[in-house]
Amino acid sequence: MAEEIISPMEIDGGASDEAMKAASKGKNVVVMAPFTKSTPWVEKYRPQSLADVAAHRDIVDTIDRLTSENKLPHLLLYGPPGTGKTSTILAVARKIYGPQYHNMILELNASDDRGIDVVRQQIQDFASTQSFSFGVKASVKLVLLDEADAMTKDAQFALRRVIEKYTKNTRFALICNHVNKIIPALQSRCTRFRFAPLDATHVTERLKHVIESERLDVDENGLKALVRLSNGDMRKALNILQSTHMASPHITEEAVYLCTGNPMPKDIEQISFWLLNEVYVTCYKHITDMKMRKGLALVDIVREVTMFIFKIKMPSDVRVHLINDMADIEYRLTFGCSDKLQLGALIASFTKARSALVACVK
């Protein structure tokens, strides 16, 4: 049974009549849905061209120049999540192939089976055939391997030979978070680009664009909280913004922290004050009460207090011992150790640090 695809633009122009006619002729009508209110903003505001990519202008300009001169090499894009690696390579594909880019790329993600059999069959079949897609000037095709660091070593070794053999008509783009999990033989065959965590200014600019487009009510402190919690991850920033908007019409600093479950900066200051000044029993009671009242996780408290410690003036040897103790506490928490015991260890570490500070003064 034949299929007929109707685009979102045709739906607004009265394509319902055409859909009815197609259905009456026995065709399956596939309607391409436009972006709706339920669409995640991560996909809705994904850059469609290289000019829209939020940061890494040096990398984007280099790739742009290589594609313009038809000298695109095999690419290895690596870096933390949410920094624009996949968006960049998809924008490159749109620039090279135009509207036909779906026919010219083979995209395999970590969710797909990418063992040695897939490399030998699916990827090799795609790379070895010549494409005759109309309206596409470029003759080379693109194989996009997202989350390439999840591929088995055997698959990577098999891919090494496929890349060599079909370089004439196919380019390979490998995307990963940890470049050390890619075998050296593959790394040497690709031009490497590192995508660092996004700068706060670039995250702020992109968030302002989304806020303006969605007509959101976000105050300045709320925007700063979004940028602070994103840690250079644009995907995380947009997800927090959307979830906070769904929970609260007015997006403030407090609303952002409540939505994500992270401790507020003022709460961390209060906890740090107790740790540095109160006796053991009082400190333990106050922190336990705050944890219960605000639903805070001890591991988040430890991480935030660690960052707060760097802002306090204290002798370097005391700071080193304190950070080392807190690292051990966080490590034990990740293995599911008792929160009560680890909270006691945290207060004990600060009590020891206070004694060292008093000894330094004397």
Side-chain angles (χ1 to χ4, degrees):
M1 192 178 285
E3 288 187 351
E4 186 166 307
I5 298 176
I6 297 176
S7 69
M9 299 299 291
E10 292 174 331
I11 294 170
D12 295 334
S16 55
D17 296 334
E18 290 184 19
M20 291 295 291
K21 288 177 187 175
S24 65
K25 291 177 184 176
K27 295 179 179 178
N28 288 333
V29 181
V30 180
V31 180
M32 294 166 60
F35 288 127
T36 61
K37 286 184 178 180
S38 61
T39 305
W41 292 350
V42 171
E43 293 303 324
K44 188 176 180 180
Y45 294 100
R46 184 183 286 277
Q48 297 298 306
S49 67
L50 288 170
D52 293 337
V53 178
H56 311 299
R57 291 317 309 173
D58 50 345
I59 297 174
V60 171
D61 291 342
T62 303
I63 296 175
D64 193 14
R65 190 167 63 253
L66 290 168
T67 52
S68 300
E69 296 171 2
N70 202 18
K71 295 178 181 177
L72 187 69
H74 302 301
L75 298 173
L76 173 58
L77 312 182
Y78 66 98
T83 51
K85 301 183 295 297
T86 306
S87 297
T88 299
I89 202 64
L90 289 177
V92 167
R94 286 191 189 91
K95 182 187 175 185
I96 298 173
Y97 308 120
Q100 296 287 333
Y101 88 102
H102 283 296
N103 302 328
M104 297 294 288
I105 67 170
L106 173 65
E107 186 177 0
L108 294 173
N109 207 300
S111 57
D112 303 310
D113 179 22
R114 294 179 308 177
I116 192 166
D117 294 332
V118 172
V119 173
R120 284 178 176 164
Q121 293 171 16
Q122 196 174 341
I123 295 177
Q124 192 161 350
D125 289 347
F126 178 81
S128 60
T129 54
Q130 186 70 38
S131 178
F132 294 100
S133 185
F134 295 106
V136 179
K137 295 178 184 178
S139 58
V140 295
K141 294 183 292 185
L142 187 65
V143 177
L144 172 57
L145 297 171
D146 209 342
E147 309 294 340
D149 47 3
M151 290 179 74
T152 62
K153 288 286 187 287
D154 289 340
Q156 290 188 42
F157 277 113
L159 183 63
R160 175 188 61 176
R161 179 63 183 140
V162 174
I163 289 177
E164 270 184 2
K165 196 173 180 181
Y166 301 107
T167 297
K168 188 175 180 182
N169 65 325
T170 309
R171 294 292 177 271
F172 288 80
L174 280 65
I175 299 172
C176 65
N177 298 132
H178 307 288
V179 73
N180 59 319
K181 293 184 181 178
I182 305 295
I183 60 172
L186 277 185
Q187 291 188 37
S188 66
R189 285 166 173 77
C190 302
T191 303
R192 291 167 40 169
F193 292 105
R194 181 179 181 272
F195 282 69
L198 298 182
D199 190 66
T201 53
H202 294 123
V203 177
T204 305
E205 285 173 15
R206 193 66 182 166
L207 284 175
K208 282 180 178 176
H209 167 69
V210 175
I211 289 164
E212 190 177 327
S213 301
E214 295 290 334
R215 297 176 183 175
L216 305 179
D217 182 14
V218 183
D219 64 18
E220 191 175 344
N221 288 332
L223 184 60
K224 286 179 181 176
L226 285 166
V227 175
R228 193 183 308 121
L229 290 174
S230 69
N231 291 320
D233 184 339
M234 195 68 234
R235 189 186 291 117
K236 188 176 180 181
L238 286 174
N239 282 331
I240 294 172
L241 177 63
Q242 187 171 14
S243 55
T244 310
H245 167 62
M246 291 164 71
S248 170
H250 182 54
I251 300 172
T252 61
E253 182 183 35
E254 190 172 356
V256 171
Y257 277 99
L258 282 173
C259 189
T260 56
N262 286 67
M264 292 275 291
K266 61 182 181 183
D267 292 338
I268 293 299
E269 285 184 23
Q270 182 63 67
I271 290 170
S272 300
F273 175 80
W274 290 331
L275 287 168
L276 290 166
N277 296 282
E278 296 291 345
V279 295
Y280 187 97
V281 177
T282 310
C283 185
Y284 190 94
K285 183 178 181 301
H286 285 330
I287 295 175
T288 305
D289 288 346
M290 182 176 280
K291 272 183 64 194
M292 293 292 289
R293 191 172 67 254
K294 301 203 172 185
L296 303 178
L298 182 58
V299 68
D300 289 333
I301 292 173
V302 171
R303 285 172 187 160
E304 293 296 327
V305 168
T306 303
M307 300 312 296
F308 190 80
I309 291 301
F310 286 108
K311 302 174 186 176
I312 302 171
K313 287 184 179 179
M314 63 172 64
S316 57
D317 56 336
V318 177
R319 196 196 308 271
V320 166
H321 285 298
L322 193 53
I323 296 296
N324 191 44
D325 288 346
M326 292 174 78
D328 289 338
I329 291 166
E330 187 192 13
Y331 179 75
R332 290 194 290 266
L333 284 169
T334 58
F335 280 89
C337 294
S338 168
D339 269 26
K340 291 181 179 179
L341 286 175
Q342 298 311 312
L343 176 56
L346 176 66
I347 300 168
S349 297
F350 272 87
T351 306
K352 193 164 64 175
R354 279 157 53 185
S355 301
L357 287 171
V358 171
C360 288
V361 172
K362 289 180 180 178

